[in-house]
Amino acid sequence: MTVPPEELRLAADFPPATRESWRESALAVLRKSGIETDDPERALSATTYDGLTVRPLYDAADAPGAPDASGVPGRAPYVRGDRPLPGWDVRQRHAVADPDAVLADLENGVTSLWLAVGREAIPVAELPRVLAGVYLDLAPVVLDAGAETAAAAEALFALAAERGTPVRGNLGADPIGLAARTGGAPTWGWPSSRRPGARPVTRGCGR
């Protein structure tokens, strides 16, 4: 059943949330707990190990307004850096060669893929099928392939080259960690498509 837009009231029947209404509610709870105070912010504040005071409530009134204040990352006066924050990354791990599950996750809020690749996970040969409907230049792909990292990287680069598109993400290469877990030294080489002097087929394969 389709509800007309004029009937979608959602939170319209609730009173607006204000700092004063929060203070009243907080005071009522504190008094029930036997704490008598007229300043709920101070009563509920906490001090960190570094001596910083963390208050229980912040709103727009607490935002800095002076021109030389902290401001927004990537905007003047750039006191918080010259680049905007990247935002949240919702990354889903997949260890089964199921392209339908991969696409379903991307269509429902997942923003990057974490693919476990190997004998007991997604076979290297299955990577093209698993990523068949994935836009590699939009959804970052992170590999977790252990000893098969080089082969998985080759497969990922080859798929990107075949499509003529860059690929985002990283290869998850951790030779020291792998050696610590397995007791051996991995014999990885440069994937042929990424050897020095080779024409790169992808961009953005760092973090």
Side-chain angles (χ1 to χ4, degrees):
M1 180 180 67
T2 302
V3 180
E6 60 271 14
E7 296 184 18
L8 291 175
R9 299 180 62 84
L10 299 180
D13 293 329
F14 292 89
T18 64
R19 195 182 193 100
E20 191 55 38
S21 64
W22 177 87
R23 286 176 55 87
E24 292 176 2
S25 298
L27 283 172
V29 173
L30 288 171
R31 286 166 181 164
K32 286 183 180 179
S33 302
I35 301 174
E36 292 295 332
T37 180
D38 293 326
D39 190 346
E41 283 95 339
R42 176 177 294 181
L44 295 172
S45 292
T47 303
T48 67
Y49 180 81
D50 298 322
L52 299 176
T53 299
V54 180
R55 290 180 289 176
L57 178 69
Y58 293 88
D59 62 15
D62 298 299
D68 59 346
S70 60
V72 177
R75 296 185 183 179
Y78 304 105
V79 293
R80 295 186 61 192
D82 61 349
R83 298 181 181 179
L85 295 177
W88 288 100
D89 178 23
V90 181
R91 180 171 297 170
Q92 177 62 47
R93 186 175 189 271
H94 288 270
V96 177
D98 187 347
D100 292 336
V102 168
L103 292 180
D105 282 339
L106 291 173
E107 291 170 357
N108 287 279
V110 167
T111 55
S112 69
L113 300 172
W114 176 12
L115 302 182
V117 182
R119 294 181 180 178
E120 298 181 0
I122 300 172
V124 172
E126 289 290 292
L127 280 177
R129 186 173 71 87
V130 171
L131 297 172
V134 177
Y135 292 98
L136 299 178
D137 55 337
L138 297 180
V141 176
V142 176
L143 297 178
D144 181 6
E148 297 189 51
T149 296
E154 283 278 15
L156 183 61
F157 292 147
L159 181 61
E162 179 183 329
R163 298 183 186 179
T165 181
V167 58
R168 299 173 59 200
N170 68 72
L171 304 179
D174 182 13
I176 296 176
L178 178 63
R181 292 194 303 271
T182 63
T187 55
W188 292 347
W190 284 82
S192 60
S193 56
R194 298 296 285 176
R195 287 175 187 149
R199 184 172 182 270
V201 299
T202 63
R203 297 194 302 272
C205 279
R207 290 186 290 176

